[in-house]
């Protein structure tokens, strides 16, 4: 058998900046980044803004324009595009087409930037459009939600939905840079603010016991939207995500996805609720279910389980008719098969073998899931634990 | 300025197999490849076939089905999809949608394969659809033209056109494997057969003097479609392409694209001719023009230039009203600006400093292009050189 063999590695790097007032003219962070390429390379940038952000920050467009007046070497595309925020961004294929057309209209080339300002959904859409335009235009992410600042916005994935199926098309493509501006978080609703906290609980549970203890200790001030503590949470959570991505299998060529702890149920609940349950809220429910399952099969103690459920309960409802598994026909159970289908290969689910330690299993017992679901329901009926 | 830094490398590897009668039941090449993954991974494969190939090989569908009856461990998707071949495949966005829908309909996951059998255009389309489905389904390429076996099919790029603009959307994504079956070439028209030879001349000129001399020596037998010599050409050309991709900048993050020698004009001519001039034919014209330009600015001798033009003339018309540059308004000149636009950064054009040696320049003198165009026209009016 005759063959030629090809083999190469591609290196990717990017920075995640933490700043405030990104577009204050004397904040050099963004401009310095763009100007760091050699002068012969064109510096051109197109902005796409989440409508929810644009409404909450009515001066944003003007600030962006003022900012780039100071940095004349950078060519700002005059039109700033506004697109619907939330899951609608990923459910409407016309928005994707619109962005591709914009790349053409505004002459965006492989060295120009498309910057997206918004929640995880808008970043996922714009990141995908940037990734496939000219086989990859440089993409800057400016996440504006807790979830996108500590998780989705710092990672390497993008995508949109297809007939309601989450992230059916997309790519792995690292951003050119990420700019986390804490001020954007001030305008979030409580629901959107809290929603991002579940990803921090998730990554703490599978990777970092000390961070989980920090979350226990600071749950009430986080619930009161203490900005200082939220900054700590975001930085720690983002760092854990970055470290995970670079340490393992950045483009997920294998079947293992520890960061998807709690997500097999979450993805299904989101879809079953027609996205009325937020991603982060669904993840909290998924974590509660899978942590309880971990306890029921003897991986963690009941005391540790209750610490987990207690922290989650500060921010979230842990149960919902859609996640209640009374029998083998419960619709959420379909999420297991779909999770396997999406990954291919054998079923691989992350559970907990301790607080701060994930463990993969390849089999899930549906009867025990029923028991886990009942446990969570029972737990949430009790008066809240006094430990917090 | 506070920031976190992310950095990682992703390794890619794949084999390019050379075989004949790929679907003869006792040819293990393809089956062995698919069965080489651990048994717990699902082995499922969907075939998409170029209509031109399906028509020229009416037994192909049946052969594929027979083949997989022998290899029961592999799950063949019963429906074999046929899509229009040639540039039409890349110009019709509905075909892309159709492929994404097929991934859904047939339950293709990230460990399943989508195999494409066809010319470069069909491979580019199917490769793109595979690359973005579930953020990357495994893609097998079975190229059926000279060009796709020696160039496009062995590389890492895919894409489709947008409003006639070549490769406007696409990705860099290496195939899982490539299977070059020499038998497919027998059914090509002479035009399609010859068209692929220009990429071999191109890569010889910028990389490998000995290969160019081999092409000179075997031009007439290649013109007579000698299969043995064609196999040598394809293997050598594919190897040079693979070596180039892995040695330099596989995902073309910089502005340099030596493999695009002759292509700034070629892409424009293709488009101006509404794709009635084939890619390979346009490349031959582009090589003639840029080699002559290299001579006019003193980079290569006239003797070497004429050797180049003589080889090309065996297979191609070297001039065409669309490429004749009489003045600065000649439409093909727009190709220079568009080439720069696509790459971004400064203009970077590969010329020749010798046979077998490319050299990048960052400026092109339009008046000298007029002279180069006139030289080629004059040359093609002469009786063919006797040296061949
Ligand atoms: N790519 C990844 O790796 C990854 C990881 C996790 C989640 N995700 C995706 O992220 C999405 C969820 O993102 P999200 O939680 O950031 O929510 P979101 O993007 O759905 O936004 C929620 C709402 O908040 C609004 N909004 C955003 N920022 C605001 C601000 N600063 N002030 C006021 N309103 C604001 C939006 O307009 C929207 O209405 C889901 O689609 C999920 O699948 C992607
Ligand atoms: N991805 C890359 O890196 C890359 C590189 C170079 C070129 N390309 C692209 O490749 C395309 C050109 O590909 P091509 O030259 O292979 O031609 P093609 O794909 O356009 O096919 C030409 C014609 O031949 C037919 N055909 C294909 N195989 C046949 C066979 N064995 N027998 C009979 N008919 C057959 C097709 O149906 C079509 O009508 C262009 O779109 C070009 O942009 C891509
Ligand atoms: Zn998540
Ligand atoms: Zn080419």
């Amino acid at each position: 058998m005759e063959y030629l063999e090809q083999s190469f590695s591609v290196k990717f790097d990017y920075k995640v900046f933490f700043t405030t007032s990104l577009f204050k003219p004397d904040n050099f962070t963004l401009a310095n980044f763009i100007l760091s390429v050699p002068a012969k390379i064109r510096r051109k940038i197109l902005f796409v803004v989440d409508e929810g952000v644009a409404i909450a920050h009515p001066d944003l467009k003007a600030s962006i324009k003022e900012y780039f007046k100071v940095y004349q070497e950078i060519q700002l595309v005059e039109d700033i595009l506004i697109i619907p925020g939330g899951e609608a961004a990923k459910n409407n294929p016309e928005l994707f087409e619109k962005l591709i057309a914009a790349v053409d209209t505004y002459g965006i080339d492989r060295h120009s930037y498309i910057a997206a300002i918004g929640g995880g959904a808008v970043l996922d859409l714009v990141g995908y459009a940037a990734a496939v335009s000219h086989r990859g235009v440089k993409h800057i992410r400016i996440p504006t939600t807790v979830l996108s600042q500590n998780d989705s916005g710092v990672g390497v994935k993008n995508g949109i939905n297809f007939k309601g199926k989450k992230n059916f098309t997309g790519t792995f493509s690292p951003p050119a840079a990420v700019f986390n501006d804490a001020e954007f978080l001030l305008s979030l609703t409580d629901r959107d603010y809290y929603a991002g906290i579940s990803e921090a609980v998730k990554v703490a549970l599978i990777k970092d016991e000390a961070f989980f203890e920090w979350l226990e200790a600071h749950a009430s001030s986080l619930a009161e939207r203490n900005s200082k503590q939220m900054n700590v949470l975001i930085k720690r959570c983002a760092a854990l995500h970055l470290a995970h991505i670079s340490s393992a299998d950045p483009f997920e060529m294998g079947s293992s996805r520890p960061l998807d702890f709690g997500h097999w149920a979450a993805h299904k609940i989101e879809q079953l609720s027609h996205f009325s349950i937020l991603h982060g809220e669904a993840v909290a429910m998924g974590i509660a279910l899978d942590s309880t399952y971990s306890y029921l099969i003897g991986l963690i103690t009941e005391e540790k389980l209750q610490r987990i459920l207690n922290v989650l309960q500060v921010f979230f409802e842990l149960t919902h008719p859609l996640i209640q598994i009374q029998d083998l026909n419960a619709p959420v159970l379909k999420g297991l098969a779909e999770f396997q289908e999406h990954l291919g290969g054998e079923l691989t689910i992350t559970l907990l073998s301790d607080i701060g330690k994930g463990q993969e299993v390849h089999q899930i017992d549906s009867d025990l899931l029923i028991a886990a679901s009942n446990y969570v329901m029972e737990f949430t009926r009790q008066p809240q634990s006094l430990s917090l």
Side-chain angles (χ1 to χ4, degrees), chain A:
Chain A
M1 202 176 40
E2 250 188 298
Y3 61 84
L4 294 171
E5 190 142 21
Q6 176 68 305
S7 176
F8 58 84
S9 288
V10 180
K11 196 164 179 284
F12 298 91
D13 37 52
Y14 59 95
K15 293 196 175 86
V16 177
F17 296 93
F18 296 88
T19 187
T20 47
S21 305
L22 185 63
F23 296 109
K24 245 179 99 176
D26 61 359
N27 185 336
F28 306 125
T29 320
L30 178 59
N32 276 355
F33 170 76
I34 298 173
L35 293 171
S36 65
V37 298
K40 62 186 176 189
I41 306 280
R42 190 206 282 190
R43 291 84 170 263
K44 188 170 177 176
I45 186 163
L46 168 69
F47 277 86
V48 185
V49 180
D50 183 319
E51 192 172 29
V53 178
I55 291 170
H57 300 262
D59 301 337
L60 183 60
K61 260 191 174 187
S63 311
I64 295 173
K65 292 189 183 189
E66 283 304 312
Y67 185 80
F68 286 98
K69 277 193 192 138
V70 180
Y71 303 98
Q72 293 281 349
E73 312 93 307
I74 304 170
Q75 187 188 343
L76 171 70
V77 173
E78 268 297 301
D79 294 341
I80 290 176
L81 310 183
I82 308 284
I83 53 173
E87 210 61 27
K90 292 169 69 170
N91 276 328
N92 179 357
E94 277 170 30
L95 294 172
F96 176 76
E97 299 294 329
K98 190 179 146 171
L99 291 171
I100 302 295
V103 169
D104 187 23
T105 308
Y106 299 112
I108 301 300
D109 64 33
R110 280 171 57 77
H111 288 277
S112 307
Y113 293 97
I114 300 183
I117 304 178
V122 164
L123 300 185
D124 275 0
L125 163 67
V126 180
Y128 177 41
V132 300
S133 296
H134 298 306
R135 300 197 186 101
V137 160
K138 291 183 182 171
H139 175 45
I140 286 176
R141 300 205 196 112
I142 303 172
T144 59
T145 62
V146 173
L147 182 129
S148 56
Q149 291 197 357
N150 73 13
D151 178 338
S152 83
V154 304
V156 297
K157 299 195 263 184
N158 57 49
I160 58 176
N161 309 333
F162 177 73
K163 298 187 184 161
K165 297 206 177 177
K166 285 282 287 185
N167 305 323
F168 198 85
T169 53
T171 68
F172 289 91
S173 44
V178 182
F179 296 87
N180 273 347
D181 180 342
E183 272 173 24
F184 280 117
L185 307 182
L186 301 177
S187 57
L188 287 172
T189 63
D190 280 351
R191 270 187 82 189
D192 282 314
Y193 188 90
Y194 289 166
I197 295 174
S198 62
E199 303 281 6
V201 174
K202 173 200 77 182
V203 77
L205 284 174
I206 57 176
K207 298 264 178 195
D208 187 344
E209 184 180 6
F211 183 33
F212 182 78
E213 285 164 359
W214 183 92
L215 287 165
E216 282 182 307
H218 297 85
S220 22
S221 67
L222 288 165
E224 288 158 10
R225 300 184 62 156
N226 177 308
S227 289
K228 211 174 125 241
Q229 306 302 356
M230 180 48 89
N231 288 346
V232 174
L233 177 149
I234 285 176
K235 214 166 293 171
R236 182 94 160 242
C237 185
L240 285 165
H241 272 97
L242 290 173
H244 173 78
I245 291 168
S246 58
S247 71
D249 175 14
F251 291 178
E252 297 175 8
M253 292 166 179
S255 289
S256 161
R257 282 210 200 171
L259 289 185
D260 274 356
F261 173 55
H263 277 58
W264 71 264
H267 284 150
K268 194 65 199 172
I269 302 164
E270 277 184 88
Q271 191 200 16
L272 290 170
S273 78
H274 302 285
F275 302 102
S276 69
I277 298 178
L278 301 177
H279 179 74
E281 292 169 341
V283 169
M285 296 179 202
I287 293 174
L289 187 68
D290 285 358
S291 299
T292 307
Y293 187 94
S294 302
Y295 155 64
L296 291 177
I297 64 170
L299 285 176
I300 58 169
T301 63
E302 186 162 25
E303 182 254 334
K304 288 184 179 173
L305 168 64
Q306 299 208 349
R307 282 171 61 198
I308 297 170
L309 298 179
N310 277 329
V311 168
L312 290 171
Q313 265 204 132
V314 175
F315 311 100
F316 303 103
E317 300 288 335
L318 297 189
T319 187
H320 183 282
L322 288 173
I323 205 181
Q324 285 160 15
I325 310 175
Q326 308 293 5
D327 57 45
L328 299 178
N329 297 321
V332 68
L333 287 176
K334 289 220 181 70
L336 268 180
E338 285 172 15
F339 193 72
Q340 178 174 12
E341 174 92 345
H342 183 70
L343 294 184
E346 64 182 335
L347 181 68
T348 304
I349 297 285
T350 299
L351 295 176
L352 298 179
S353 64
D354 199 349
I355 286 180
K357 233 174 128 81
Q359 173 164 330
E360 292 189 345
V361 302
H362 301 288
Q363 218 175 315
I364 292 287
D365 178 331
S366 301
D367 289 321
L368 280 181
L369 277 180
I370 296 176
S373 171
N374 287 333
Y375 185 102
V376 177
M377 279 203 290
E378 198 54 47
F379 182 87
T380 57
R381 274 199 214 103
Q382 295 163 16
Q384 177 128 356
S385 145
L386 295 175
S387 69
L388 281 168

